[in-house]
Amino acid sequence: MDEKTTYAVVDIETTGGNVQSGDRIIQFGCVLIENDQIVHQFATDVNPLRNIPKEIEHLTGISNKTVATAPYFEDVAATIFNLLEGCVFVAHNIQFDYSFLSEEMVRCGLPPLTLKGIDTVELAQILFPTEPSFTLNDLMNARGIVHTNPHQADSDAYATAELFLLMKQKLLELPLVTVEKITSIAAHCTMDTQFFFQTNLAEMKDNIAELPEQLMIKKGLALRKKNVSFEQKNHRERFDYPYTSDKKAALFTPHFELRDTQIRMMDTIQETLTGEKTEHIAIEAPTGIGKTFGYLFPAVFHASSEKPIVVSTYTTLLQQQLFYKDIVQLQKIIPFPIQAAMLKGKSHYIHLSKFDSLLQKPVTQKLEAIYQMKVLVWLTQTETGDLDELNLTSYDQPFWNKVRHRGWLGNETEDEWYEEDFYLHAKKLVQHAGIIVTNHAYLCHDLQKEDKTLSNFTSLIVDEAHHLSEVAQSSTSQVFRYYYLQKMGKRLGKKDDKSSLIGQLTDLLDKPTQSITQQVENIEMSVYFLMDTLSQLVDELLQFCAEAELNEEFRKDRYDIPYDREKDGLLFKKTSKQVIQLMNEVCFQGFEVVHALLKERERFTQTELHLITDFYDCLTDLENQKDIFITVFQNPNEQEVTWFSYTEKSPKNSFTAQQSYVTNDQFLKERLITKVPTIIYTGATLEVDGSFDYFQKQIGETALKTLKLNSPYDYEKQVRFWIPKEVTPIKSMTKKRYAQMIVRYLSSICRNSQENMLVLFTSYEPLHEVYAELQKKPEFFGREILAQGLSGSRERILKRFFRSQGGILLGADSFWEGVDLPGKSLSVIVVTRLPFESPDRPFVKAKHYWMKKNHLNPFYVDTLPKATLRLKQGLGRLVRSETDKGVFIVLDERLVHSNFGKQMQRSLPNGVRIEEIAENQMEEELRKFLIDEI
């Protein structure tokens, strides 16, 4: 760091975000850094001469009383101005601190700030590319540094200073070529953040370090070498499965606890994998028995590259957890190397050749510049090239489409980065693996392909198996998205737009023949007419939907309108035919251009070949959408249901047409169940009312062996399950009264209690209404209230909730399961109504109609079992260890006063006793159970 430079690391706390609206600073903190050392600290409270909002007091701990005797900002402004003069201003999210402080200086009669500024949020995004969160507290926790008083200006400033010094050290450890490339792009960073890279690059050039052995450089790009060794020996011959409990305990102790139910699961799976006959088994393994080790432990004794065992789980997040956490932990106790690999689609991997080509082009957008710098650092760390390692909440930005892997048009060996290609490396790992870890979506998509990646396996373990049917339904659905087609049309573009594919191809056409130029011009016209006709069709479809909306009882945020092709198809026949014809024209002419260009491929540079590949990929996507369009609008099938969806706010851009199979049991039966000799299904919620029949029918099994393992938890002692005596039947209430009732019960539960509470909803509308009501109630001031869809990503919400005291989390959908919050982080769950899916949804409506035609009762065959499993999943969030205690409250009297409610009760874990309790007793009983008895 420049010896002459002083860095002023600043943090401020304020009453709000706008000086012009009367918001003021309530605390100022500053740390000075010189020669890589913290040399001075300054902090002061500030009296804002206005009330501090309750939410700010809760966040910062700074109250009106705290600042009552503090100086006004007018009194300290000159001191702060002089302190900062000549320094480089550093802050975490600098645009807020710098602009707010500058405006306050002007208000007090001082000049605005004109300092150089560096943003540590951007630095962290670049230098710590795999972090899931860039809040100051999360970054410090990830580095093992104690941040004593988050949201206090003095503590935040000091923590930011420590982070700043850490990031300098991190930068200096990077290869010189990486830092040079980052510095050349960093002009796009916020304010003068580039200055950080420039000064440190100069320091690195004065003392050039050797390239670390684990790195390599190719074409000016630094990469981590892939360190992989393939085990050739067959360990099953040398290491037999330990059948006795003592032998298992000898391996597990002292690393892990071994439970009797877990041993039973292991031995059952060992027996299944050893058997020579075809056998499919479902094992319900309740939370807490160690399910993952329960199936992985016997699996690794059988798995080999000749006979791999495929393990499929619900999401890519769970897939990563299984691979990077569970298998790594299991390796500690297994006396031989576990050869495991992760299997994902190629689009999960970065294509080095495309990224290299992109680096040769000038950067025009700030976000793309940040992503490029982030990837440059990540490439020095990753051995997989799996973009999921970057933990982004969305990969929808154009940059990721430019660099993600789509395969090759020609011979892959012609790729300059063939030897280093991450996707090919992943495929090689899979070929040598004994355990192949995938996810349900990949598995179901692979089942539909002619050229299957998973073709030679005979054993499959399906974790989170209750999701397999719904994922199969999703993977076989056809979805036509108007917005996606709009983006595709814009990407194809026109000759005058040099950022579009057609515009760039036109510049390329001075090399080939005139006939190709004419074809590109024809494609340009066809694209124009296609987008115009498609827009007209969507307008017609929305008019049709608007007429159907008249039957709706009330306005909604999102609409799902059923479409009967036989009855309504003639309305759109002419326009839909025109759309298909134009799509055919674009695809046919486009592919002809690609083939013509590839005949002269030796004339083109690698970057130009990537342009042709991008054009081909876009045409392929258009052709896929064309096939979906034809399926949705022209191919009737009584086993399928079609509906249109859109939001009220943006009906046209959000418009989709979707077609799904009513049932997917035949798909799974034909493609999976009859093909794989050994399948082990497992999950915490497979059984309903003492039977696996519902699960078996959902996936198309007919002779499934089953095993239900007992829970290790004592639910009678650890759980209280309450139904309020006075709870009003939901159907008798308006939406507003329903939301008010929920808030009233939450108030009763929270009174004089600081327990964390999860409130589960079956839809977003009441969730949002309750969230708005809670914000107005004084009894909830000071509590952190988090809501799905309003408070950030799921991971961020859970992290904040885990750290809060007295927090309230309002969740739907995914929050009913997969939430692991042990101990004090979750003590109370409130279910706002029994989790029945809406019978008005087009897919549900069509499925139930089909069931009735087949003389089945939809409620008892489908709706009730599904809701019962959902309720079990919700209860499973409450108790995550033998020492946990919790209260589960259901605000729906149907659970105790209906026949189906009694059936749902029979599926709850042994020991759960449902009590009806008066609302005015809740506070005292909750305190007695959760606090007094500890």
Side-chain angles (χ1 to χ4, degrees):
M1 217 166 267
D2 188 346
E3 292 181 6
K4 299 174 185 176
T5 303
T6 300
Y7 295 88
V9 186
V10 173
D11 187 78
I12 59 174
E13 303 300 335
T14 68
T15 59
N18 193 329
V19 174
Q20 304 303 320
S21 299
D23 287 318
R24 296 291 179 260
I25 293 172
I26 56 177
Q27 203 174 61
F28 173 88
C30 179
V31 172
L32 299 184
I33 296 175
E34 292 176 356
N35 300 326
D36 298 341
Q37 300 291 323
I38 292 174
V39 295
H40 182 67
Q41 291 176 253
F42 173 81
T44 181
D45 291 338
V46 178
N47 188 330
L49 283 173
R50 57 159 291 177
N51 281 329
I52 297 172
K54 281 291 181 183
E55 59 269 24
I56 299 296
E57 182 181 337
H58 170 64
L59 182 68
T60 63
I62 303 167
S63 64
N64 293 318
K65 186 176 179 181
T66 308
V67 298
T69 58
Y72 306 135
F73 190 75
E74 289 84 346
D75 298 330
V76 294
T79 302
I80 293 171
F81 189 88
N82 292 330
L83 176 71
L84 298 177
E85 192 172 10
C87 297
V88 176
F89 192 105
V90 180
H92 205 66
N93 190 15
I94 191 171
Q95 288 175 315
F96 173 76
D97 296 83
Y98 190 95
S99 60
F100 199 105
L101 193 59
S102 185
E103 285 185 63
E104 277 287 75
M105 292 293 180
V106 172
R107 187 181 64 81
C108 294
L110 292 164
L113 296 178
T114 56
L115 308 171
K116 285 182 178 177
I118 294 175
D119 186 16
T120 53
V121 171
E122 268 184 15
L123 289 183
Q125 289 171 338
I126 295 163
L127 294 170
F128 303 134
T130 60
E131 286 298 318
S133 166
F134 295 97
T135 66
L136 181 60
N137 204 32
D138 288 343
L139 287 167
M140 299 307 283
N141 285 333
R143 320 249 100 64
I145 300 171
V146 177
H147 184 193
T148 48
N149 296 301
H151 303 294
Q152 292 260 320
D154 53 350
S155 178
D156 280 358
Y158 196 88
T160 304
E162 288 186 295
L163 182 66
F164 183 67
L165 291 171
L166 276 173
M167 289 192 289
K168 179 197 172 170
Q169 191 57 42
K170 169 72 176 174
L171 185 72
L172 295 178
E173 291 169 0
L174 292 171
L176 182 63
V177 292
T178 301
V179 180
E180 285 176 330
K181 192 62 188 174
I182 289 173
T183 306
S184 70
I185 304 169
H188 294 274
C189 288
T190 297
M191 292 184 67
D192 307 285
T193 302
Q194 185 184 28
F195 179 74
F196 173 83
F197 296 107
Q198 290 170 333
T199 54
N200 286 299
L201 176 60
E203 185 177 326
M204 291 176 75
K205 285 182 174 179
D206 289 340
N207 185 21
I208 296 176
E210 287 186 19
L211 186 72
E213 194 170 329
Q214 70 271 21
L215 299 179
M216 60 170 282
I217 294 174
K218 179 173 178 176
K219 293 187 68 183
L221 201 58
L223 304 174
R224 177 168 286 268
K225 296 175 184 174
K226 299 175 181 69
N227 182 24
V228 179
S229 59
F230 298 114
E231 185 62 42
Q232 301 298 322
K233 298 173 184 177
N234 190 329
H235 286 289
R236 289 183 296 120
E237 295 172 4
R238 292 174 52 200
F239 295 98
D240 293 330
Y241 175 79
Y243 280 95
T244 68
S245 297
D246 289 344
K247 286 183 179 179
K248 290 187 185 75
L251 291 174
F252 274 71
T253 308
H255 301 286
F256 305 106
E257 183 183 353
L258 193 61
R259 299 179 176 90
D260 290 341
T261 45
Q262 189 181 42
I263 291 172
R264 188 180 176 197
M265 182 177 182
M266 290 173 178
D267 290 344
T268 301
I269 291 175
Q270 163 66 15
E271 185 182 330
T272 303
L273 293 171
T274 307
E276 295 182 4
K277 295 180 180 178
T278 296
E279 184 167 82
H280 295 179
I281 183 171
I283 302 173
E284 180 170 285
T287 304
I289 73 159
K291 168 174 58 90
T292 308
F293 273 22
Y295 63 74
L296 278 180
F297 183 75
V300 297
F301 283 90
H302 285 268
S304 68
S305 57
E306 294 80 21
K307 288 188 175 182
I309 294 176
V310 176
V311 178
S312 180
T313 191
Y314 180 31
T315 62
T316 54
L317 192 66
L318 290 171
Q319 182 183 2
Q320 303 230 134
Q321 183 179 308
L322 189 66
F323 187 79
Y324 288 114
K325 180 184 172 187
D326 298 319
I327 290 177
V328 170
Q329 287 185 333
L330 184 63
Q331 182 65 83
K332 293 176 183 176
I333 64 171
I334 298 295
F336 52 85
I338 301 171
Q339 293 293 318
M342 244 197 318
L343 181 59
K344 296 181 177 181
K346 61 171 73 78
S347 63
H348 284 270
Y349 299 93
I350 189 168
H351 194 151
L352 284 172
S353 185
K354 286 187 174 181
F355 180 63
D356 179 36
S357 293
L358 202 61
L359 288 175
Q360 314 310 317
K361 299 177 183 178
V363 183
T364 57
Q365 293 184 339
K366 175 183 173 179
L367 189 58
E368 183 159 313
I370 298 294
Y371 285 151
Q372 283 194 18
M373 293 184 280
K374 186 186 192 81
V375 170
L376 283 165
V377 176
W378 175 60
L379 288 174
T380 67
Q381 301 172 5
T382 183
E383 290 186 24
T384 69
D386 183 350
L387 293 169
D388 289 337
E389 289 180 3
L390 296 172
N391 287 306
L392 297 176
T393 52
S394 170
Y395 291 86
D396 290 337
Q397 290 295 330
F399 172 80
W400 302 112
N401 288 324
K402 291 175 187 175
V403 300
R404 70 171 69 249
H405 220 303
R406 296 285 297 257
W408 293 269
L409 253 182
N411 189 338
E412 60 202 41
T413 58
E414 294 176 7
D415 189 327
E416 292 176 298
W417 294 87
Y418 170 75
E419 293 291 337
E420 296 78 24
D421 189 80
F422 288 114
Y423 174 61
L424 292 176
H425 177 66
K427 283 178 70 175
K428 188 176 180 181
L429 290 176
V430 168
Q431 289 165 6
H432 287 83
I435 300 287
I436 299 171
V437 182
T438 189
N439 58 76
H440 296 350
Y442 185 93
L443 177 67
C444 290
H445 280 295
D446 197 59
L447 292 174
Q448 299 173 65
K449 286 158 52 177
E450 292 293 327
D451 182 23
K452 294 179 175 56
T453 306
L454 292 168
S455 56
N456 68 330
F457 71 102
T458 57
S459 298
L460 170 67
I461 298 172
V462 183
D463 196 358
E464 302 291 323
H466 55 286
H467 286 294
L468 183 60
S469 176
E470 68 185 68
V471 174
Q473 186 252 319
S474 177
S475 69
T476 56
S477 293
Q478 307 283 355
V479 184
F480 179 82
R481 304 178 192 278
Y482 176 60
Y483 182 67
Y484 185 53
L485 260 293
Q486 280 182 303
K487 282 173 66 177
M488 210 177 290
K490 191 174 180 182
R491 184 146 192 258
L492 285 167
K494 51 189 178 181
K495 288 190 298 182
D496 296 340
D497 181 3
K498 298 308 176 186
S499 65
S500 73
L501 291 170
I502 288 174
Q504 292 174 72
L505 277 175
T506 304
D507 289 346
L508 204 64
L509 294 180
D510 58 337
K511 295 189 175 182
T513 61
Q514 181 63 36
S515 63
I516 299 179
T517 306
Q518 184 60 52
Q519 280 181 302
V520 171
E521 290 176 356
N522 291 342
I523 293 168
E524 180 186 17
M525 290 302 295
S526 295
V527 169
Y528 172 80
F529 286 122
L530 170 61
M531 301 319 296
D532 188 57
T533 310
L534 193 58
S535 175
Q536 179 188 331
L537 174 63
V538 173
D539 286 337
E540 291 174 11
L541 292 168
L542 285 169
Q543 181 59 40
F544 165 79
C545 292
E547 292 169 11
E549 276 178 36
L550 298 174
N551 298 322
E552 300 282 347
E553 292 180 21
F554 48 82
R555 304 297 299 170
K556 296 189 289 190
D557 293 336
R558 183 171 190 85
Y559 288 92
D560 296 310
I561 306 297
Y563 171 63
D564 187 329
R565 204 180 286 98
E566 290 183 8
K567 188 176 75 172
D568 306 315
L570 284 173
L571 297 171
F572 317 109
K573 188 173 181 179
K574 181 182 175 184
T575 320
S576 62
K577 269 191 170 182
Q578 290 174 339
V579 168
I580 292 167
Q581 183 182 344
L582 287 163
M583 282 181 170
N584 276 326
E585 284 178 17
V586 174
C587 292
F588 178 77
Q589 293 179 100
F591 287 131
E592 282 209 328
V593 167
V594 170
H595 293 144
L597 291 172
L598 288 179
K599 286 178 182 176
E600 306 181 47
R601 63 185 305 135
E602 66 280 352
R603 297 191 184 192
F604 301 114
T605 66
Q606 191 73 45
T607 300
E608 289 169 338
L609 286 171
H610 283 313
L611 170 62
I612 297 168
T613 302
D614 288 343
F615 182 57
Y616 174 84
D617 289 340
C618 193
L619 293 171
T620 303
D621 289 342
L622 180 63
E623 190 169 51
N624 289 337
Q625 282 290 298
K626 180 198 73 177
D627 292 341
I628 291 170
F629 188 91
I630 291 170
T631 301
V632 169
F633 287 98
Q634 302 215 330
N635 292 347
N637 187 327
E638 64 176 20
Q639 289 288 317
E640 293 170 341
V641 56
T642 304
W643 69 96
F644 304 137
S645 295
Y646 55 94
T647 63
E648 186 178 25
K649 277 187 179 177
S650 179
K652 196 163 186 177
N653 282 340
S654 65
F655 183 87
T656 64
Q658 183 163 339
Q659 185 184 82
S660 289
Y661 284 102
V662 173
T663 176
N664 285 281
D665 56 346
Q666 283 303 113
F667 165 75
L668 288 170
K669 186 172 185 176
E670 291 170 9
R671 307 289 182 99
L672 180 71
I673 290 164
T674 58
K675 306 287 186 187
V676 182
T678 303
I679 303 181
I680 297 155
Y681 305 98
T682 186
T685 51
L686 304 182
E687 184 204 57
V688 178
D689 198 16
S691 167
F692 286 78
D693 286 353
Y694 176 71
F695 171 74
Q696 185 165 282
K697 287 171 185 170
Q698 288 287 100
I699 58 173
E701 288 278 8
T702 52
L704 193 61
K705 187 177 174 183
T706 62
L707 171 65
K708 176 180 168 62
L709 299 169
N710 293 325
S711 172
Y713 304 141
D714 186 342
Y715 280 95
E716 191 170 356
K717 288 184 178 179
Q718 292 180 254
V719 171
R720 292 293 177 267
F721 194 126
W722 294 340
I723 310 283
K725 282 181 180 176
E726 311 88 345
V727 68
T728 309
I730 293 166
K731 285 190 175 180
S732 68
M733 288 184 285
T734 62
K735 289 191 294 180
K736 187 171 183 180
R737 277 193 61 208
Y738 173 54
Q740 289 170 343
M741 180 201 76
I742 294 169
V743 172
R744 191 184 82 237
Y745 277 108
L746 297 184
S747 179
S748 297
I749 297 162
C750 287
R751 198 174 293 123
N752 298 320
S753 164
Q754 282 298 305
E755 305 300 328
N756 277 7
M757 180 178 4
L758 172 63
V759 188
L760 294 172
F761 293 79
T762 58
S763 64
Y764 285 100
E765 197 171 1
L767 185 156
H768 293 167
E769 287 182 15
V770 169
Y771 179 76
E773 287 290 322
L774 291 176
Q775 301 293 330
K776 303 173 193 172
K777 299 287 183 181
E779 60 264 41
F780 295 102
F781 291 167
R783 289 180 178 269
E784 182 153 35
I785 301 171
L786 303 162
Q788 186 177 0
L790 299 173
S791 307
S793 68
R794 184 177 188 271
E795 289 69 32
R796 187 177 179 187
I797 288 172
L798 287 172
K799 193 174 284 185
R800 285 172 61 185
F801 185 65
F802 183 77
R803 291 178 183 155
S804 66
Q805 184 176 0
I808 300 173
L809 196 169
L810 313 180
D813 295 339
S814 61
F815 282 88
W816 282 83
E817 59 178 316
V819 177
D820 193 1
L821 294 164
K824 285 285 185 181
S825 51
L826 180 60
S827 300
V828 180
I829 291 180
V830 178
V831 172
T832 55
R833 70 185 299 164
L834 292 176
F836 293 110
E837 62 183 352
S838 170
D840 295 326
R841 284 178 51 213
F843 176 72
V844 177
K845 192 179 287 185
K847 187 174 183 179
H848 289 181
Y849 175 74
W850 179 85
M851 286 179 172
K852 285 174 184 174
K853 275 175 65 176
N854 287 274
H855 311 294
L856 299 170
N857 184 318
F859 181 77
Y860 285 101
V861 170
D862 185 61
T863 305
L864 182 58
K866 197 172 284 184
T868 303
L869 290 175
R870 198 72 157 160
L871 189 66
K872 285 175 69 176
Q873 289 159 2
L875 180 59
R877 303 311 95 215
L878 190 61
V879 177
R880 310 295 288 180
S881 76
E882 284 89 342
T883 57
D884 281 357
K885 294 174 74 175
V887 176
F888 194 79
I889 303 167
V890 178
L891 303 180
D892 195 331
E893 42 81 38
R894 292 177 295 174
L895 188 59
V896 288
H897 295 148
S898 68
N899 290 329
F900 67 77
K902 292 178 175 61
Q903 185 173 323
M904 295 178 89
Q905 290 182 42
R906 291 197 295 270
S907 295
L908 298 174
N910 292 334
V912 171
R913 291 190 302 109
I914 296 179
E915 303 173 63
E916 290 189 83
I917 185 171
E919 182 181 348
N920 58 14
Q921 292 180 284
M922 278 189 179
E923 178 193 348
E924 183 184 352
E925 290 298 321
L926 188 139
R927 181 178 52 78
K928 279 167 60 179
F929 179 63
L930 292 179
I931 302 168
D932 292 356
E933 292 182 11
I934 293 175

